[in-house]
């Protein structure tokens, strides 16, 4: 059963959004779009001294490591929605996705605020596209792709937390269009690339739209 948050909880209050990977290219878009929508934002980063934002609105910066469950639980206090924009670091052989997503789901399950969790994944996972899976394994290696697969499986098995798994197509840094297209069934073709800004738009839309809860959703550009 999915947790239903009381509507009364939000009367006269801004939702607080905790963003993991806030320093990254996708995370920066999520932070800025969340601020534009009037949400309170907590940015979870490893190195606060290096964290900069493209807009001047106030952000609560939380120092931590997503692979450390204590740091994750501390950051989640008082949070209504969690957004994970995490990815594996560029250092070869270092994979964090399964551990980080396991920590996030465990912390959300234990949290008194019962946050909804919007979690990044990848198209090609879960039988969504054998072609994309094949190409990503060739490009980034099987170990990295397997780590993403295990991270998604960990989210899907957490049956007492409201979540959405987002599987975007290939990401670009092009200017966003403010829209996206849902892919409703597995595809053998390579989907249309999508800007990180438009992936962020989908994340932000999911904060107020709960129709995708409990699902893994594929999106592509328009």
């Amino acid at each position: 059963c999915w947790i239903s948050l009381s509507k009364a909880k939000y009367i006269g209050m801004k939702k607080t959004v905790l963003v993991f990977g806030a320093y990254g290219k996708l995370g920066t878009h999520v932070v800025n779009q969340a601020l534009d929508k009037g949400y309170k934002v907590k940015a979870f980063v490893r190195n606060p001294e290096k964290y900069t934002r493209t807009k001047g609105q106030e952000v609560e910066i939380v120092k931590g490591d997503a692979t450390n469950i204590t740091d994750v639980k501390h950051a989640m206090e008082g949070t209504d929605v969690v957004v994970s924009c995490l990815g594996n670091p560029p250092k070869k052989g270092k994979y964090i996705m399964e551990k980080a997503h396991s920590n996030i789901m465990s912390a959300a399950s234990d949290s008194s605020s019962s946050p909804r969790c919007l979690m990044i994944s990848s198209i090609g996972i879960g039988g969504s596209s054998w072609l994309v899976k094949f190409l990503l394994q060739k490009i980034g290696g099987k170990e990295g792709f397997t780590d993403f697969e295990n991270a998604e499986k960990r989210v899907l098995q957490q049956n007492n937390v409201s979540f959405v798994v987002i599987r975007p197509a290939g990401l670009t840094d092009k200017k966003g269009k403010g829209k996206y297209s849902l892919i409703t069934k597995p595809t053998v073709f390579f989907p249309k690339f999508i800007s990180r800004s438009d992936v962020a738009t989908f994340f932000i839309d999911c904060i107020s739209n709960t129709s995708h809860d409990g699902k893994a959703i594929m999106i592509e550009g328009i």
Side-chain angles (χ1 to χ4, degrees):
C1 61
W2 307 116
I3 294 174
S4 297
L5 299 181
S6 171
K7 292 182 180 179
K9 180 178 179 181
Y10 298 122
I11 296 176
M13 296 175 62
K14 293 181 180 180
K15 290 183 183 178
T16 298
V17 181
L18 171 63
V19 182
F20 286 84
Y23 189 69
K25 291 182 178 180
L26 174 58
T28 298
H29 285 294
V30 170
V31 168
N32 287 331
Q33 290 188 32
L35 290 170
D36 287 344
K37 289 290 186 179
Y39 297 119
K40 294 180 179 179
V41 176
K42 296 167 71 174
F44 187 97
V45 294
R46 291 175 62 94
N47 301 298
E49 64 277 4
K50 295 182 179 180
Y51 180 60
T52 57
R53 296 172 299 284
T54 57
K55 295 186 178 181
Q57 293 138 298
E58 185 176 352
V59 173
E60 180 183 349
I61 300 174
V62 182
K63 180 179 180 179
D65 181 344
T67 63
N68 184 310
I69 186 63
T70 301
D71 290 350
V72 174
K73 285 185 175 181
H74 171 71
M76 206 167 289
E77 293 176 3
T79 295
D80 301 306
V81 179
V82 173
V83 176
S84 171
C85 302
L86 293 171
N88 282 322
K91 184 178 179 180
K92 188 175 181 180
K94 186 173 177 62
Y95 308 113
I96 69 163
M97 293 296 288
E98 180 180 8
K99 179 63 175 176
H101 279 200
S102 179
N103 284 344
I104 292 171
M105 298 310 288
S106 294
S109 177
D110 294 340
S111 174
S112 60
S113 61
S114 302
R116 292 174 63 243
C117 295
L118 312 178
M119 312 294 285
I120 194 68
S121 185
S122 172
I123 198 163
I125 292 176
S128 53
S129 173
W130 69 265
L131 175 59
V132 174
K133 179 177 180 178
F134 173 79
L135 292 175
L136 290 179
Q137 286 181 327
K138 285 292 185 181
I139 296 170
K142 290 184 178 180
E143 294 84 357
F145 191 84
T146 298
D147 188 50
F148 263 84
E149 285 186 312
N150 291 339
E152 180 176 302
K153 288 177 183 177
R154 176 62 184 85
V155 176
L156 295 175
Q157 73 183 23
Q158 189 75 49
N159 61 7
N160 64 338
V161 173
S162 293
F163 66 81
V164 182
V165 171
I166 294 93
R167 298 172 177 166
L171 301 176
T172 76
D173 291 320
K174 292 182 179 180
K175 183 178 180 181
K177 298 179 180 180
K179 52 188 178 181
Y180 44 79
S181 178
L182 302 185
I183 303 174
T184 58
K185 59 183 179 179
T187 176
V188 296
F189 301 104
F190 206 92
K192 295 179 182 178
F193 279 43
I194 185 169
S195 74
R196 288 178 172 84
S197 175
D198 291 336
V199 175
T201 297
F202 182 75
F203 270 114
I204 300 305
D205 288 347
C206 284
I207 292 176
S208 57
N209 177 9
T210 62
S211 65
H212 300 305
D213 279 19
K215 302 175 184 177
I217 303 296
M218 297 182 287
I219 60 172
E220 64 179 347
I222 293 179

